[in-house]
Amino acid sequence: MTSTSTADYQRTDGPTLRLTFSEPEGALRGGLVVLHEADGVTDGVKLLLASLATEGWLTVTPHLDNDHLTQQDLLDATDLTLAWLVERGVQGDLLGVMGFDLGGTAALVVASHRRLGAAVSVGGQQAAELPALVEIAGKLTSPWLGMYGDAGDEAGGADVERLRDAAASAKVATNVVHYPGANHRFDADPGAAAEAWQRTLNWFDAHLR
């Protein structure tokens, strides 16, 4: 397992952004921006970075203030993080974004406002300052995979189906996967979590090459 590091990044006369990242030990396949969950850059986020790095991806997460995260703040931080990846030799068509929980919502927002090689959302917690998922799914500009549980709730399952219908109207490849009975964090269903992980790897393998 690769290690993770944290550093402050600033472009000329621009804002400073704290980044935590993990670098692959072998050949570089591309770069992934990982948008963290509501609790910030936790040990779980660092493990995700390292796990993706072992698959050959240079992975980096910007430290975001989720208590006051507006859409513009999110896009600005993502743009700066993407610039960091490009400076480290990642080509534009090999850039992707993914997020888990609140970060899953953030990844969908980014994927509907930026043209990237691929995007993945695992779960989605709504944030007051970010748009509703079904409002933006049809505007996707990056190939997007979304995976959602419903905690066994019928209304939650209907929400996932509405999201699938909205994403299907986008002009890029989309896939919405529904895991009935799994919660939005997938932490109570190891089988669903393992399948979601493999689907994530397959999506990036298919679109970032």
Side-chain angles (χ1 to χ4, degrees):
M1 190 70 67
T2 61
S3 61
T4 58
S5 304
T6 299
D8 291 331
Y9 173 63
Q10 182 183 34
R11 304 197 81 186
T12 305
D13 297 327
T16 299
L17 183 64
R18 176 151 291 188
L19 303 174
T20 294
F21 57 93
S22 188
E23 300 180 84
E25 296 180 350
L28 177 64
R29 300 178 60 191
L32 302 176
V33 177
V34 177
L35 299 170
H36 60 69
E37 55 191 312
D39 295 334
V41 184
T42 62
D43 288 343
V45 173
K46 293 177 182 178
L47 177 60
L48 176 60
L49 292 174
S51 297
L52 288 166
T54 63
E55 300 290 334
W57 307 104
L58 174 56
T59 54
V60 54
T61 186
H63 290 236
L64 304 173
D65 181 2
N66 285 333
D67 291 334
H68 306 281
L69 183 64
T70 67
Q71 177 172 289
Q72 193 57 54
D73 290 339
L74 168 63
L75 294 174
D76 289 346
T78 302
D79 288 343
L80 196 56
T81 309
L82 290 168
W84 182 90
L85 285 169
V86 171
E87 286 184 7
R88 278 150 185 78
V90 180
Q91 298 178 11
D93 58 349
L94 297 178
L95 293 168
V97 62
M98 78 165 295
F100 185 89
D101 195 15
L102 178 60
T105 300
L108 175 54
V109 172
V110 171
S112 64
H113 288 82
R114 299 291 183 265
R115 295 184 183 275
L116 301 173
V120 174
S121 295
V122 183
Q125 176 183 327
Q126 194 59 52
E129 300 296 330
L130 297 180
L133 304 184
V134 293
E135 293 178 1
I136 57 174
K139 303 174 183 177
L140 281 159
T141 52
S142 301
W144 176 72
L145 167 66
M147 294 172 286
Y148 298 91
D150 59 18
D153 181 78
E154 185 175 339
D159 288 342
V160 177
E161 296 309 315
R162 282 193 291 270
L163 180 59
R164 176 184 286 122
D165 291 342
S169 67
K171 297 180 180 180
V172 293
T174 66
N175 187 20
V176 175
V177 184
H178 180 196
Y179 290 93
N183 63 19
H184 68 283
R185 295 177 62 89
F186 289 75
D187 53 10
D189 191 335
E195 183 180 314
W197 171 249
Q198 191 58 55
R199 284 182 180 272
T200 296
L201 297 180
N202 292 347
W203 191 260
F204 287 133
D205 286 345
H207 293 280
L208 299 182
R209 58 182 182 178

